[in-house]
Amino acid sequence: MIKKCLFPVAGYGTRFLPATKSMPKEMLPIVNKPLVQYGVEEADQAGLSTIGFVTGRGKRAIADHFDISYELEAEIKGSGKESLLTSIRDLIENNDFSFTRQNHMKGLGHAILSGRNLMGDDPFAVVLADDLCVAAEDGEGVLAQMVKIYEQFRCSVVAIQEVPADQVHKYGVIAGEDMGNGLYRVTDMVEKPSQEDAPSNLAIIGRYILTPDIFDKIEKTEPGKNGEVQITDALMKQAQEGCVMAYKFRGKRFDCGSIEGFVEATNYVFENVYLKDQAEQAEQDQKKGSK
Ligand code: G1P
């Protein structure tokens, strides 16, 4: 059973400056919740309750967000606003949170390696909070889907989606043997290839399940694309020696690392999640009132 989930959150968020000058980019809100909370909710839904963060300087707000604010709770008690804290309070009660720091920015592979002590010798998930994933119509989140794939194959799993050919340079891109039902057994993996060098248009998005041997593989991985230690290269070693599965998930994904994706996600969540929740709440309140 997978119980752990790692969030690399040390990045600077330069694309959102000046908003991210003194605030972590993961705390930017999509409507009324910070981006990182959506990722933790997705992990919680998948039954991953040991949450580790690889943070950096200037990221304390994330640790504060996943801790109880007694002062605030006391302040709003009896004001009718208590329910606004329910979602975060439930996450805090149901999960354990630990933090470690990445002192050097040497790439995603290095960030994941920095979380080794938090994840230990168990398989674990990785969430890049920039990628906001909204559950499929049946309500099953992307991580919950991936946990099932892991249980079937017992090897690392990456989430993929088809992207236009002129976008492949932004992603890790896979090639694989098509096994049906959106599953591929990975045969090749290239970090941010040019359009000409891309092995396909199947791009890795920010959801992974990794077996713990990944840590030794990362340690032996030389800096790759852009001089950074790439998780894609370490995963390629796992694929060569054993197995890595790629999975075309069900649901929607927004690239909230870009301004356009962030705005798109905001509009989507406002219309399809926030307004619906409000309408449901109003209906419940009305029922209660008429009793
Ligand atoms: C990272 C990974 C890349 C992956 C992407 C998904 O890149 O290195 O393989 O496709 O996340 O969001 P980054 O976006 O951090 O540059």
Side-chain angles (χ1 to χ4, degrees), residues 108 128 131 170-172 191-192 203-206 208 230-232 253:
L108 180 57
L128 307 183
D131 278 332
K170 294 184 182 167
Y171 299 94
E191 180 66 14
K192 304 198 174 82
I204 301 170
I205 64 120
Y208 304 78
Q230 299 293 350
I231 189 64
T232 308
R253 169 250 175 192

Side-chain angles (χ1 to χ4, degrees), residues 113 116 211-221 234 237:
L113 184 60
R116 185 177 204 160
T211 51
D213 58 305
I214 197 73
F215 293 123
D216 287 341
K217 301 260 184 307
I218 300 173
E219 268 179 344
K220 291 186 192 124
T221 300
K237 286 185 204 158

Side-chain angles (χ1 to χ4, degrees), residues 178-198:
D178 189 346
M179 299 178 66
N181 295 326
L183 271 172
Y184 296 78
R185 190 183 171 117
V186 172
T187 51
D188 197 8
M189 233 180 201
V190 189
E191 180 66 14
K192 304 198 174 82
S194 65
Q195 208 164 314
E196 300 74 52
D197 295 337

